[in-house]
Amino acid sequence: MGESLKRYEALAHDLAESIRCGVLRAGEKLPSVREASARRGVSASTVFQAYYLLEAQGLIRARDRSGYYVVHGTATMPPEPEPPVHIDPDSNVVDVSSQVFEMLESIRQREVVPFGSAFPDPALFPMAKLGQVMASTIRQLDPWQAVDDLSPGNAQLRRQIALRYQVDGMAVTPDDIVITNGALEALNLCLGAVTRPGDTVIVESPTFYAALQSLERLGLRAIEVPAHPREGIDLAALARALAQHQPAACWLMTSFQNPLGSLMPEPKKRELVALLARHGVPLIEDDVYAELYFGANRPAPAKAFDTQGLVMHCGSFSKSLAPGYRVGWAVPGRFFRAVARHKLSTSLSTSMPAQAAIAAYLERGGYDRHLRALRHELSVRQGQMMAAVGARFPAGARATRPAGGYFLWVELPGEIDTRMLHRQALAAGISIAPGPMFSSHPRFLNCLRLNYGHAWDMRAEAAFARLGGLIHAMC
Amino acid sequence: MGESLKRYEALAHDLAESIRCGVLRAGEKLPSVREASARRGVSASTVFQAYYLLEAQGLIRARDRSGYYVVHGTATMPPEPEPPVHIDPDSNVVDVSSQVFEMLESIRQREVVPFGSAFPDPALFPMAKLGQVMASTIRQLDPWQAVDDLSPGNAQLRRQIALRYQVDGMAVTPDDIVITNGALEALNLCLGAVTRPGDTVIVESPTFYAALQSLERLGLRAIEVPAHPREGIDLAALARALAQHQPAACWLMTSFQNPLGSLMPEPKKRELVALLARHGVPLIEDDVYAELYFGANRPAPAKAFDTQGLVMHCGSFSKSLAPGYRVGWAVPGRFFRAVARHKLSTSLSTSMPAQAAIAAYLERGGYDRHLRALRHELSVRQGQMMAAVGARFPAGARATRPAGGYFLWVELPGEIDTRMLHRQALAAGISIAPGPMFSSHPRFLNCLRLNYGHAWDMRAEAAFARLGGLIHAMC
């Protein structure tokens, strides 16, 4: 069953790619189920499942008795944002914390519809199963585990994480891994290991606000390099920034970037790693959405192309398995020792029962089955929200079409200030993440990030209609 | 039963105090059980239990048929260290990490006898019971808890912690508390909230090496103020340091300091708070050993005398209930908001299952019963190691006699370098914590910290004899 699930997803992915890059154009008819089945060498049921998925994603639509047609590009789907204008990036002192903290407060209220949330829908995770595993693990736990699990962390868990890298063809061993209190701590430890106050650090623009907050806290200056909404950071602009400034590090999300959802193609990742290596600049690679791909395979991280040990790869189980457990990790390459010690002297170790439970869960199997179901559900929810953007937002609104993760980035037409929209929406019980949260400059005023990871139920639909109404009124 | 346990411990504590301050002198006979019972209005069995405890602590000894006598001051008990010489403290760049990390590596090996360990004996904690509570808690956990438990943390747990403050007469509410990944994170968050790189911070001398590491990592300068082996930091020297330097903060352990085991008397704590308030200097109060008192009551922290919100009180369950769970907290006074936000942007939240399990354990009751047994056991083990110091170490060795915690601080006679002793001992499978770990200056060369919290079994006794032999050979 796991097998056929994977096959139909692979097919759906290929077709979605063909649609996205224009090989299959709007209004075009898809091959019949019989044709596709023969051509691909898969069962008719696999094709049916793939078509159902694409339909749920809003990419194709069935017409009575005549088959499936591509809807992409029609009125129901908003166009993608334009690539960024090439401006030369400048370094900037960071001061975003207040607006971010206010925003975070608002999404903690359960009665608020969480379009602005950074967190995945907790209902998507096997919390009960994890609880069972934790319960049986904790009862067998050797008390000395508390000492054994000190940084770099639980050996069994590091082995399980290393295994997943190895399956993807990466030579990461348990001894390369430091377990952390979530990816956020991993990223902060990596940043602390390679910077000194006053240094400059390159980030994307727009970028994850927590990166800006970390820079702010450590007294670092940000150099924001524009990112392409589909393919990530602009390498030419990055090259100029590297030549002009002497950055201490570069902090990027290479796959399903928050907030854009952009995915750097593999050749671009390879080029990125080579470029940074020429300048001797470490890359802090935030890869927390790595497992949430809608395609056939996990996209390789930049770390896969790292021959110098300069890429500090950070991952987490918070978005893929166990939100709230606070278990993440870093593979800090040549900075391993600094990061492991840094961890020891800032928080000693990661919670022992959480480490042990996740290690035991991974060992038992079932993680990949859970992930397939999770990805499927997220890709369906993306289609639902994308269609709603097309239907409810004004013409001229643009939205990214991420191939993974659970964020849309929307550009609104005209002079709309999404900070004002945020306040109005919140008064109506709806949260959004306004664009200016994602930059240390006053940029992205007309943009917002939407979380499509929560259930698309009547409440969400009504809230989205209301949000659309507020935007129309502001136009 | 809980009641009588407390009563005999109170009696033992009073007698121990009388012995420590010289009211009962070496060789003096204690009142007979009948006399003491009548005089104190307690049962004979309570007196017996108190005498057994004092005997186990090595403070009194039974002579056949004639009763109990004070042994303090005889050959079996080493004298206390001298108070520190009054030197004016100077600020210093901190660079202790390498020796500390090497030391930490050595104590992680289970085959090494852990006299140098900073960790309590894991066998002293109700790990199985905690596991049970966690198992039943985790199965009922609402998935949304992951969002609810973001900094400042689990509301139920903050309520339970606030209750314990309130029982001690302190007006701490749940809204004053930030849950952290252990006390070490709490301390680091507090330090980060009130300092900027280049600032100076006052610490004790000797001081807990993790404080020095935190200063080092944040680019802060340390001002080490001498501490009295029994009563903590020298207030006159502190006053001079405050007048001379403009420190950004003061980081102290006011009860059962690591490494000295010193306990600041309450009037001194009150004076400390008033002195710092006059200078407007925040006190970061590391109070992780607070629950490990051998006396009748928990010593009041400096926080109890804080009327300005300048004391940032940090606690933990790692030494008293749940090592490895990594659950601690800060009560940061007027810096609450900064610390809570700082936590949110460095590690988001503390592991949800660990928070929930400890909250549920505290709610069920049984914590105080566990603590009484824990304190009893530690006080007995202190006596055992103290007697071994007297018997095995050379004449002229001095040792502190802490009224709580699980560390002895030993001063060896002559020119012994405990870093060399550390290497020799480690080769023999024994760890110690050499004095120079506890200062940014080359001080305390002839000192060492010993952990008496582990079982005093044949292995420990043999190792202690071996350690004594090594010291004799170095004399």
Short mmCIF file of all heavy atoms in Angstrom, two decimals, chain B residues 61-96:
data_model
loop_
_atom_site.label_atom_id
_atom_site.label_comp_id
_atom_site.label_asym_id
_atom_site.label_seq_id
_atom_site.Cartn_x
_atom_site.Cartn_y
_atom_site.Cartn_z
N ARG B 61 29.02 10.54 67.94
CA ARG B 61 29.33 9.12 67.94
C ARG B 61 28.84 8.52 69.27
O ARG B 61 28.95 9.15 70.32
CB ARG B 61 30.84 8.89 67.79
CG ARG B 61 31.19 7.41 67.64
CD ARG B 61 32.68 7.21 67.46
NE ARG B 61 33.15 7.79 66.21
CZ ARG B 61 34.43 8.04 65.94
NH1 ARG B 61 35.37 7.81 66.85
NH2 ARG B 61 34.78 8.54 64.79
N ALA B 62 28.30 7.30 69.18
CA ALA B 62 27.83 6.63 70.39
C ALA B 62 29.00 5.96 71.08
O ALA B 62 29.87 5.39 70.42
CB ALA B 62 26.78 5.58 70.03
N ARG B 63 29.06 6.11 72.44
CA ARG B 63 30.03 5.29 73.19
C ARG B 63 29.22 4.30 73.99
O ARG B 63 28.20 4.67 74.58
CB ARG B 63 30.86 6.16 74.14
CG ARG B 63 31.88 6.97 73.39
CD ARG B 63 32.91 7.58 74.35
NE ARG B 63 33.44 8.80 73.77
CZ ARG B 63 33.76 9.89 74.46
NH1 ARG B 63 33.59 9.91 75.79
NH2 ARG B 63 34.24 10.94 73.86
N ASP B 64 29.72 3.04 74.01
CA ASP B 64 28.96 1.95 74.64
C ASP B 64 28.29 2.38 75.95
O ASP B 64 28.97 2.76 76.90
CB ASP B 64 29.88 0.75 74.90
CG ASP B 64 29.87 -0.16 73.68
OD1 ASP B 64 29.04 0.11 72.78
OD2 ASP B 64 30.69 -1.09 73.63
N ARG B 65 27.03 2.28 75.99
CA ARG B 65 26.19 2.49 77.18
C ARG B 65 26.26 3.89 77.78
O ARG B 65 25.49 4.23 78.66
CB ARG B 65 26.59 1.49 78.31
CG ARG B 65 26.15 0.10 77.98
CD ARG B 65 26.92 -0.93 78.82
NE ARG B 65 26.91 -2.20 78.11
CZ ARG B 65 25.96 -3.12 78.27
NH1 ARG B 65 25.00 -2.96 79.14
NH2 ARG B 65 26.00 -4.23 77.57
N SER B 66 27.17 4.72 77.35
CA SER B 66 27.26 6.02 78.05
C SER B 66 26.63 7.16 77.25
O SER B 66 26.58 8.29 77.72
CB SER B 66 28.72 6.35 78.37
OG SER B 66 29.34 6.92 77.27
N GLY B 67 26.15 6.90 76.03
CA GLY B 67 25.45 7.95 75.29
C GLY B 67 26.22 8.48 74.09
O GLY B 67 27.20 7.87 73.64
N TYR B 68 25.80 9.61 73.58
CA TYR B 68 26.35 10.18 72.35
C TYR B 68 27.27 11.37 72.65
O TYR B 68 26.96 12.19 73.52
CB TYR B 68 25.21 10.63 71.43
CG TYR B 68 24.55 9.48 70.72
CD1 TYR B 68 23.43 8.85 71.27
CD2 TYR B 68 25.05 9.01 69.50
CE1 TYR B 68 22.82 7.80 70.61
CE2 TYR B 68 24.44 7.96 68.83
CZ TYR B 68 23.33 7.35 69.39
OH TYR B 68 22.74 6.31 68.74
N TYR B 69 28.35 11.46 71.92
CA TYR B 69 29.33 12.54 72.11
C TYR B 69 29.61 13.25 70.79
O TYR B 69 29.58 12.63 69.73
CB TYR B 69 30.64 11.95 72.66
CG TYR B 69 30.48 11.45 74.06
CD1 TYR B 69 29.94 10.18 74.30
CD2 TYR B 69 30.86 12.25 75.16
CE1 TYR B 69 29.75 9.72 75.58
CE2 TYR B 69 30.68 11.78 76.45
CZ TYR B 69 30.12 10.51 76.66
OH TYR B 69 29.94 10.06 77.94
N VAL B 70 29.93 14.53 70.88
CA VAL B 70 30.26 15.31 69.69
C VAL B 70 31.65 14.92 69.19
O VAL B 70 32.59 14.92 69.98
CB VAL B 70 30.24 16.82 70.01
CG1 VAL B 70 30.63 17.64 68.77
CG2 VAL B 70 28.88 17.24 70.53
N VAL B 71 31.76 14.59 67.92
CA VAL B 71 33.08 14.23 67.41
C VAL B 71 33.70 15.37 66.61
O VAL B 71 34.88 15.34 66.28
CB VAL B 71 33.07 12.98 66.50
CG1 VAL B 71 32.60 11.77 67.27
CG2 VAL B 71 32.23 13.22 65.26
N HIS B 72 32.90 16.33 66.27
CA HIS B 72 33.37 17.47 65.48
C HIS B 72 34.68 18.06 66.04
O HIS B 72 34.80 18.30 67.23
CB HIS B 72 32.27 18.54 65.51
CG HIS B 72 32.72 19.88 65.06
ND1 HIS B 72 33.13 20.13 63.79
CD2 HIS B 72 32.83 21.05 65.76
CE1 HIS B 72 33.46 21.40 63.69
NE2 HIS B 72 33.29 21.98 64.88
N GLY B 73 35.61 18.25 65.21
CA GLY B 73 36.87 18.85 65.64
C GLY B 73 37.95 17.82 65.95
O GLY B 73 39.10 18.17 66.08
N THR B 74 37.54 16.58 65.99
CA THR B 74 38.56 15.55 66.26
C THR B 74 39.23 15.17 64.95
O THR B 74 38.91 15.71 63.89
CB THR B 74 37.90 14.29 66.87
OG1 THR B 74 37.15 13.67 65.83
CG2 THR B 74 37.01 14.64 68.03
N ALA B 75 40.11 14.22 65.02
CA ALA B 75 40.90 13.82 63.86
C ALA B 75 40.04 13.34 62.69
O ALA B 75 40.42 13.46 61.54
CB ALA B 75 41.90 12.74 64.24
N THR B 76 38.84 12.80 62.99
CA THR B 76 38.05 12.24 61.90
C THR B 76 37.43 13.32 61.01
O THR B 76 37.00 13.03 59.91
CB THR B 76 36.90 11.36 62.43
OG1 THR B 76 36.09 12.17 63.30
CG2 THR B 76 37.42 10.16 63.15
N MET B 77 37.35 14.55 61.48
CA MET B 77 36.71 15.59 60.67
C MET B 77 37.71 16.67 60.33
O MET B 77 38.34 17.24 61.21
CB MET B 77 35.57 16.22 61.47
CG MET B 77 34.44 15.26 61.76
SD MET B 77 33.48 14.93 60.28
CE MET B 77 32.36 16.30 60.36
N PRO B 78 37.85 16.97 59.05
CA PRO B 78 38.80 18.01 58.68
C PRO B 78 38.30 19.39 59.10
O PRO B 78 37.11 19.61 59.20
CB PRO B 78 38.83 17.91 57.15
CG PRO B 78 37.50 17.33 56.78
CD PRO B 78 37.09 16.46 57.91
N PRO B 79 39.21 20.31 59.38
CA PRO B 79 38.79 21.67 59.72
C PRO B 79 38.25 22.38 58.49
O PRO B 79 38.50 21.98 57.36
CB PRO B 79 40.08 22.34 60.20
CG PRO B 79 41.18 21.58 59.54
CD PRO B 79 40.67 20.17 59.37
N GLU B 80 37.50 23.47 58.73
CA GLU B 80 36.96 24.25 57.61
C GLU B 80 38.05 25.12 56.99
O GLU B 80 39.00 25.51 57.67
CB GLU B 80 35.83 25.15 58.11
CG GLU B 80 34.56 24.41 58.40
CD GLU B 80 33.45 25.39 58.78
OE1 GLU B 80 33.40 25.81 59.94
OE2 GLU B 80 32.66 25.73 57.89
N PRO B 81 37.88 25.48 55.72
CA PRO B 81 38.83 26.41 55.11
C PRO B 81 38.77 27.78 55.79
O PRO B 81 37.74 28.15 56.36
CB PRO B 81 38.34 26.52 53.66
CG PRO B 81 37.42 25.37 53.44
CD PRO B 81 36.84 25.05 54.78
N GLU B 82 39.85 28.53 55.69
CA GLU B 82 39.89 29.89 56.23
C GLU B 82 39.04 30.81 55.35
O GLU B 82 38.93 30.60 54.15
CB GLU B 82 41.34 30.42 56.21
CG GLU B 82 42.33 29.61 57.01
CD GLU B 82 42.17 29.81 58.51
OE1 GLU B 82 41.48 30.78 58.90
OE2 GLU B 82 42.72 29.01 59.28
N PRO B 83 38.49 31.88 55.93
CA PRO B 83 37.83 32.89 55.10
C PRO B 83 38.82 33.48 54.11
O PRO B 83 40.04 33.45 54.36
CB PRO B 83 37.37 33.95 56.10
CG PRO B 83 37.40 33.28 57.44
CD PRO B 83 38.46 32.22 57.36
N PRO B 84 38.36 34.04 53.01
CA PRO B 84 39.29 34.52 51.98
C PRO B 84 40.03 35.77 52.43
O PRO B 84 39.56 36.53 53.25
CB PRO B 84 38.36 34.86 50.82
CG PRO B 84 37.04 35.14 51.46
CD PRO B 84 36.96 34.25 52.66
N VAL B 85 41.20 35.93 51.89
CA VAL B 85 41.97 37.15 52.10
C VAL B 85 41.27 38.28 51.34
O VAL B 85 40.74 38.07 50.25
CB VAL B 85 43.41 36.96 51.54
CG1 VAL B 85 44.24 38.20 51.80
CG2 VAL B 85 44.03 35.73 52.13
N HIS B 86 41.23 39.47 51.92
CA HIS B 86 40.54 40.57 51.24
C HIS B 86 41.42 41.24 50.21
O HIS B 86 42.25 42.06 50.53
CB HIS B 86 40.05 41.60 52.28
CG HIS B 86 38.88 41.09 53.02
ND1 HIS B 86 37.70 41.76 53.16
CD2 HIS B 86 38.69 39.91 53.67
CE1 HIS B 86 36.85 41.04 53.85
NE2 HIS B 86 37.44 39.92 54.19
N ILE B 87 41.23 40.84 48.98
CA ILE B 87 41.92 41.52 47.89
C ILE B 87 40.89 42.28 47.09
O ILE B 87 39.74 41.88 47.03
CB ILE B 87 42.64 40.52 46.95
CG1 ILE B 87 41.71 39.31 46.71
CG2 ILE B 87 43.98 40.11 47.48
CD1 ILE B 87 42.05 38.54 45.48
N ASP B 88 41.30 43.38 46.47
CA ASP B 88 40.32 44.09 45.66
C ASP B 88 40.18 43.42 44.30
O ASP B 88 41.16 43.21 43.59
CB ASP B 88 40.70 45.57 45.50
CG ASP B 88 39.97 46.41 46.54
OD1 ASP B 88 38.88 45.97 46.96
OD2 ASP B 88 40.50 47.45 46.94
N PRO B 89 38.95 43.07 43.96
CA PRO B 89 38.74 42.31 42.73
C PRO B 89 38.93 43.16 41.49
O PRO B 89 38.66 44.34 41.47
CB PRO B 89 37.29 41.85 42.83
CG PRO B 89 36.63 42.77 43.80
CD PRO B 89 37.70 43.34 44.68
N ASP B 90 39.42 42.50 40.46
CA ASP B 90 39.74 43.12 39.20
C ASP B 90 38.89 42.42 38.14
O ASP B 90 38.59 41.26 38.27
CB ASP B 90 41.22 42.84 38.92
CG ASP B 90 41.83 43.97 38.11
OD1 ASP B 90 41.11 44.94 37.82
OD2 ASP B 90 43.02 43.85 37.79
N SER B 91 38.53 43.14 37.08
CA SER B 91 37.75 42.46 36.04
C SER B 91 38.69 41.70 35.13
O SER B 91 39.84 42.07 34.94
CB SER B 91 36.88 43.44 35.28
OG SER B 91 37.58 43.99 34.19
N ASN B 92 38.19 40.62 34.56
CA ASN B 92 39.05 39.74 33.79
C ASN B 92 38.29 39.14 32.61
O ASN B 92 37.12 38.81 32.73
CB ASN B 92 39.54 38.60 34.70
CG ASN B 92 40.81 37.96 34.18
OD1 ASN B 92 41.53 38.56 33.40
ND2 ASN B 92 41.07 36.74 34.62
N VAL B 93 38.98 39.02 31.48
CA VAL B 93 38.40 38.31 30.34
C VAL B 93 38.41 36.83 30.70
O VAL B 93 39.34 36.33 31.31
CB VAL B 93 39.24 38.56 29.07
CG1 VAL B 93 38.79 37.64 27.95
CG2 VAL B 93 39.14 40.01 28.66
N VAL B 94 37.32 36.16 30.32
CA VAL B 94 37.16 34.77 30.76
C VAL B 94 37.61 33.81 29.67
O VAL B 94 37.30 33.99 28.51
CB VAL B 94 35.69 34.51 31.14
CG1 VAL B 94 35.56 33.14 31.76
CG2 VAL B 94 35.19 35.57 32.10
N ASP B 95 38.33 32.78 30.06
CA ASP B 95 38.80 31.78 29.12
C ASP B 95 39.01 30.45 29.83
O ASP B 95 40.12 29.99 30.00
CB ASP B 95 40.08 32.29 28.45
CG ASP B 95 40.65 31.29 27.46
OD1 ASP B 95 39.87 30.48 26.93
OD2 ASP B 95 41.87 31.31 27.22
N VAL B 96 37.91 29.87 30.29
CA VAL B 96 38.02 28.63 31.07
C VAL B 96 37.50 27.42 30.31
O VAL B 96 37.62 26.30 30.77
CB VAL B 96 37.21 28.70 32.38
CG1 VAL B 96 37.80 29.72 33.33
CG2 VAL B 96 35.73 28.97 32.13
#
